[in-house]
Amino acid sequence: MRRNVLRSGILTLALLASASVSADSQLSLSGIVSGVEVCEQDVCGSAIFVAAFGGKIADLPSFGLAAGGIIHQPLPVAPGCVDLLGGRWSIRTLRRTVGGEVAAGGDLCYVDGTKYFVRMGMNITEGGSGDATFSAILDHGPFPPTIKGVIR
């Protein structure tokens, strides 16, 4: 019995040590995102999106669900861009969850009246650390609004 307790303690310490090492490492994140806007900012306080994710997390093939809430200035109605003010995002796969903050200062740019180009910084604060960039097309026509983009 004492031997089993010792093994259990060693295993627990090993798992805790590996978890803290992986949480402190720079995380590589890349892939594609395709989904819908489920609630607009005027109704929910932030534009809320859910999407499928396919790509690589920590250089391993990963597929899962992405979600985010983005706060932005009013949508432009003519050529030009407005600022993204912040928000949160996450990607959940069978292996892990990564997430973080939307960096203030991204762009939401008018394309043609129903389409907008989105570029935002993603600070990774959950499941690792580091930064990534998301570039996408947000299409408000036809309903529901869709978003398709690339994380680098």
Side-chain angles (χ1 to χ4, degrees):
M1 172 145 161
R2 190 169 193 182
R3 181 183 262 174
N4 287 340
V5 171
L6 183 59
R7 281 185 195 159
S8 178
I10 292 171
L11 180 59
T12 301
L13 288 174
L15 288 173
L16 289 173
S18 67
S20 64
V21 168
S22 66
D24 293 336
S25 64
Q26 290 287 357
L27 182 72
S28 62
L29 174 63
S30 63
I32 57 172
V33 174
S34 180
V36 296
E37 183 176 6
V38 295
C39 192
E40 65 182 275
Q41 179 171 290
D42 289 343
V43 174
C44 293
S46 65
I48 300 174
F49 299 89
V50 294
F53 168 81
K56 289 187 175 185
I57 300 175
D59 295 322
L60 296 173
S62 301
F63 303 93
L65 180 66
I70 312 305
I71 301 168
H72 57 80
Q73 292 179 322
L75 292 174
V77 294
C81 299
V82 298
D83 290 335
L84 296 180
L85 305 174
R88 297 217 23 99
W89 62 273
S90 69
I91 298 172
R92 297 184 189 278
T93 71
L94 290 175
R95 284 188 219 146
R96 72 187 304 165
T97 297
V98 297
E101 304 288 329
V102 173
D107 295 318
L108 178 63
C109 302
Y110 178 94
V111 173
D112 70 4
T114 61
K115 292 182 182 159
Y116 300 87
F117 175 73
V118 179
R119 184 190 51 80
M120 67 182 206
M122 301 167 59
N123 299 325
I124 303 167
T125 59
E126 179 185 351
S129 63
D131 298 303
T133 301
F134 180 59
S135 301
I137 294 293
L138 170 61
D139 189 348
H140 276 188
F143 187 82
T146 59
I147 192 158
K148 294 181 182 175
V150 176
I151 299 172
R152 294 190 176 99

